[in-house]
Amino acid sequence: MQIVVPEEFKYLYETNAERPVVKIPADVLRQKANEVGKISKKTLLLVDDMIRIMKKANGIGLAAPQLGVLQRVIVISPDSMRPTALINPRIVKAEGEMIGQEGCLSIPGLYGDVKRAAYVEVEALDRKGRELTFELEGMPARVAQHEIDHLDGILFIDKVNPATLHWSNPERDDDE
């Protein structure tokens, strides 16, 4: 799907020190990320950067390719969940179905409805290299699926119901 960014949203698509998240149409967003072989200091610094950048951008999830790093690392923090890093995450079980609105820090301002599994089990390594299974449902399940898609070069616009796509400024309060 080709996205044409409206003029009033173009400033959101600048990548700089203030806005380090890579935006479409950057090639890195369409590439498959590599497994993390060994969790090194560099991996842990990446995780810390990802959490800091996600929080600063008011995001609830971020994948390493969104920072131009082709490694299978995501951080998620939906529903006031503590920011959690998942290294080499894999969905091993998916059940049910839910439709909900999604946006993406790499496609700022564009939102639409995406069908996802309502429940997922994700196997991943934590920061210490321990193998864990995360059982997620609702919003946390949606966020994990969205971020894991990023690791395979898939964006929410590839799964969205096109009839529901709409632009809304993520920096504006709805009260204004």
Side-chain angles (χ1 to χ4, degrees):
M1 173 180 293
Q2 189 65 29
I3 302 297
V4 178
V5 179
E7 203 56 48
E8 68 266 28
F9 291 90
K10 288 205 168 145
Y11 76 98
L12 295 170
Y13 284 75
E14 294 169 13
T15 302
N16 53 39
E18 256 323 278
R19 299 178 188 278
V21 176
V22 175
K23 314 296 188 302
I24 60 166
D27 291 341
V28 71
L29 294 172
R30 291 304 192 173
Q31 295 174 15
K32 198 167 170 59
N34 302 309
E35 290 265 325
V36 175
K38 177 177 170 276
I39 298 176
S40 63
K41 252 192 181 121
K42 196 172 175 184
T43 309
L44 297 177
L45 287 172
L46 171 64
V47 166
D48 292 342
D49 281 348
M50 289 172 66
I51 290 171
R52 180 181 48 77
I53 290 164
M54 174 185 69
K55 283 180 176 176
K56 187 170 186 215
N58 294 317
I60 56 174
L62 190 66
Q66 292 180 276
L67 296 181
V69 179
L70 282 174
Q71 292 195 352
R72 297 189 78 79
V73 178
I74 65 171
V75 294
I76 62 172
S77 183
D79 294 345
S80 68
M81 178 176 149
R82 203 173 113 262
T84 304
L86 286 76
I87 300 165
N88 297 335
R90 286 186 359 262
I91 295 172
V92 294
K93 185 176 185 181
E95 293 177 350
E97 184 177 289
M98 63 176 166
I99 296 173
Q101 182 172 273
E102 292 187 21
C104 182
L105 295 175
S106 291
I107 315 172
L110 188 61
Y111 302 90
D113 290 347
V114 178
K115 187 189 299 183
R116 301 267 185 200
Y119 168 88
V120 291
E121 285 181 19
V122 179
E123 289 180 354
L125 301 176
D126 69 4
R127 299 175 67 106
K128 295 187 168 108
R130 296 177 296 209
E131 288 185 32
L132 298 174
T133 300
F134 295 86
E135 295 183 22
L136 305 167
E137 56 186 319
M139 183 58 86
R142 173 175 300 284
V143 175
Q145 291 169 82
H146 176 111
E147 300 310 331
I148 291 169
D149 276 354
H150 272 297
L151 302 180
D152 294 318
I154 299 166
L155 300 174
F156 91 95
I157 55 173
D158 302 328
K159 296 184 170 189
V160 74
N161 173 346
T164 66
L165 279 175
H166 64 281
W167 290 91
S168 177
N169 191 325
E171 295 182 338
R172 208 189 95 232
D173 278 338
D174 290 324
D175 303 341
E176 287 180 23

